[in-house]
Amino acid sequence: MTLSNEEMVKFDDVFLGILQHCGKIEPFLDSIFYFLSRRTDFFQLMHSKDDKLGFPPGVAEKMLIKIFEKHQQNILKNDHKYMEWKQKKKSLSTAGASNVGVNIAEKNQTKKVETSVEDNIITPNNDAVPKPVQDIEISTQSQHPPKNDPPQLESAPALTSSDTFNGGTTDHYSWSQTINDVDIKIAVPKEIKKSKDLSIEIRPDSISVKLRNDPPQGSGLESRLLMEGTFSNKIRCDESLWSLLPSQYISICLEKYEPKWWTRVLEADAEIDKQQIDTTQQVADFDPQTQSDIRKVMYDQQQKMMGKPTSEEQKTHDLLKKAWDAEGSPFKGTPFDPSRVNMGGENSPMPSIENTP
């Protein structure tokens, strides 16, 4: 579940207070992640389908990239100088206007983008060509080995279990899924190093992935077409993203229009066995209130195992301590000793006060 901007604004006062205390962005972020490491399962790794906490390897990192790119683009679209520069580059580019993607190659090469963390200014030089980005969703790790692996190009990495989690493979690609998204991986020839080498169109009900030029000799590809067809279920086009890992593969992340498990990506694909789908949901897949309830239960269980008070017991303790010296309290002026108050059991709905010698 994604919070609206109006809902997120409600946290401004809390975050502003933390930021003012930290003084700079880096310690502010450090404190946020320290909280996540102590009070949530964000940094824990799932090692098998029986693990109930944490995320499969690489999933938490994708979540961070998704959120960063989402908010960066919201800022850059209001930067007139940036948009003018972007439009100028677009008019000079031979790439089609419908091309949507992220050129990871240009991010990883020696071309640089000058940044100032303190001033929050990003000044692209004349060599860097940023691409429009859209939301990316999170794939999960597979516990089921792939069946009928698609042909592997010379430069393509071997498939891992995460590439087919709750999904499978076809002659052209591998795919994985969670209840909310689908992650597709398509191998490309080693000569494919930039997003402008590709033509990718993602629509709510269909997809087309092609090379802009004829496939290189010896690549094993018979045509420019890498993937094309009608989706078996509708997607949210505006919330989907594709990216290129140079010389290796295309990663396509699709957000499902409604949360449900797919048995295939395209209508023309063979269906996977529904019984093999791991329907266990991650804590992050639930709405904020449910996440809070789950984490509260986890915290209370951990406290009990360590012999410490649960959240409710701690709350009762704090209220009792506050009322100990209140006006009219029979304990006013005495040292705080919660053992002198019997809060009652299941058959004692009202608290009672033990007689003092």
Side-chain angles (χ1 to χ4, degrees), residues 129 183 220 296 339:
V129 183
D183 202 346
K296 179 177 180 295
S339 65

Side-chain angles (χ1 to χ4, degrees), residues 151-292:
Q152 294 292 304
L153 301 182
E154 180 182 350
S155 58
L159 288 176
T160 64
S161 57
S162 63
D163 298 326
T164 55
F165 177 67
N166 283 342
T169 61
T170 71
D171 292 339
H172 303 287
Y173 63 88
S174 62
W175 67 284
S176 61
Q177 66 172 321
T178 66
I179 191 68
N180 294 310
D181 63 82
V182 175
D183 202 346
I184 300 170
K185 192 182 215 180
I186 307 173
V188 297
K190 62 182 179 181
E191 291 82 2
I192 305 302
K193 299 181 179 180
K194 297 183 179 180
S195 62
K196 67 181 181 180
D197 297 327
L198 303 166
S199 174
I200 299 180
E201 296 181 359
I202 301 176
R203 298 186 177 90
D205 57 357
S206 65
I207 186 171
S208 174
V209 182
K210 301 177 182 178
L211 301 179
R212 288 195 177 277
N213 300 308
D214 291 334
Q217 292 183 353
S219 66
L221 297 176
E222 298 179 355
S223 69
R224 300 181 184 183
L225 185 63
L226 300 179
M227 177 184 181
E228 188 174 60
T230 301
F231 290 127
S232 61
N233 294 274
K234 191 175 180 181
I235 69 161
R236 297 183 184 276
C237 184
D238 293 341
E239 301 297 324
S240 299
L241 167 77
W242 71 266
S243 60
L244 170 68
L245 186 60
S247 303
Q248 297 191 52
Y249 60 83
I250 303 166
S251 176
I252 303 176
C253 303
L254 309 173
E255 180 171 329
K256 298 175 180 178
Y257 187 78
E258 57 181 343
K260 61 182 294 186
W261 296 106
W262 291 12
T263 56
R264 56 188 174 185
V265 177
L266 301 179
E267 287 288 355
D269 293 340
E271 291 188 327
I272 62 173
D273 184 359
K274 296 180 180 179
Q275 302 301 320
Q276 295 298 316
I277 296 178
D278 180 4
T279 58
T280 302
Q281 287 186 252
Q282 301 298 319
V283 175
D285 291 336
F286 295 96
D287 62 84
Q289 182 58 51
T290 303
Q291 289 187 44
S292 176

Side-chain angles (χ1 to χ4, degrees), residues 27-215:
F28 171 76
L29 294 176
D30 196 22
S31 66
I32 296 295
F33 284 106
Y34 183 52
F35 168 79
L36 292 175
S37 68
R38 291 182 297 106
R39 303 299 296 272
T40 75
D41 60 342
F42 183 77
F43 290 102
Q44 296 185 38
L45 293 179
M46 291 179 62
H47 299 290
S48 72
K49 65 180 181 181
D50 296 325
D51 292 344
K52 303 301 181 185
L53 301 178
F55 296 92
V59 169
E61 291 91 330
K62 286 186 178 181
M63 185 185 299
L64 294 178
I65 293 173
K66 160 204 164 183
I67 296 173
F68 172 83
E69 292 181 339
K70 169 187 174 182
H71 292 289
Q72 184 186 53
Q73 290 305 306
N74 285 338
I75 296 299
L76 292 182
K77 69 183 181 182
N78 295 319
D79 186 330
H80 300 300
K81 291 185 178 180
Y82 170 82
M83 296 305 293
E84 289 175 2
W85 169 83
K86 180 180 176 182
Q87 185 62 35
K88 180 179 178 182
K89 285 293 181 180
K90 182 178 180 181
S91 64
L92 297 175
S93 175
T94 57
S98 62
N99 183 23
V100 179
V102 178
N103 188 351
I104 296 180
E106 293 175 358
K107 290 184 179 180
N108 293 335
Q109 291 174 353
T110 56
K111 299 175 182 179
K112 298 180 179 179
V113 174
E114 301 175 3
T115 63
S116 172
V117 175
E118 295 301 323
D119 296 331
N120 293 323
I121 296 176
I122 300 179
T123 307
N125 62 17
N126 291 331
D127 295 325
V129 183
K131 303 291 181 181
V133 297
Q134 295 169 290
D135 274 359
I136 184 172
E137 278 300 328
I138 308 302
S139 64
T140 47
Q141 184 183 20
S142 174
Q143 308 303 328
H144 310 296
K147 302 176 183 178
N148 302 322
D149 290 353
Q152 294 292 304
L153 301 182
E154 180 182 350
S155 58
L159 288 176
T160 64
S161 57
S162 63
D163 298 326
T164 55
F165 177 67
N166 283 342
T169 61
T170 71
D171 292 339
H172 303 287
Y173 63 88
S174 62
W175 67 284
S176 61
Q177 66 172 321
T178 66
I179 191 68
N180 294 310
D181 63 82
V182 175
D183 202 346
I184 300 170
K185 192 182 215 180
I186 307 173
V188 297
K190 62 182 179 181
E191 291 82 2
I192 305 302
K193 299 181 179 180
K194 297 183 179 180
S195 62
K196 67 181 181 180
D197 297 327
L198 303 166
S199 174
I200 299 180
E201 296 181 359
I202 301 176
R203 298 186 177 90
D205 57 357
S206 65
I207 186 171
S208 174
V209 182
K210 301 177 182 178
L211 301 179
R212 288 195 177 277
N213 300 308
D214 291 334

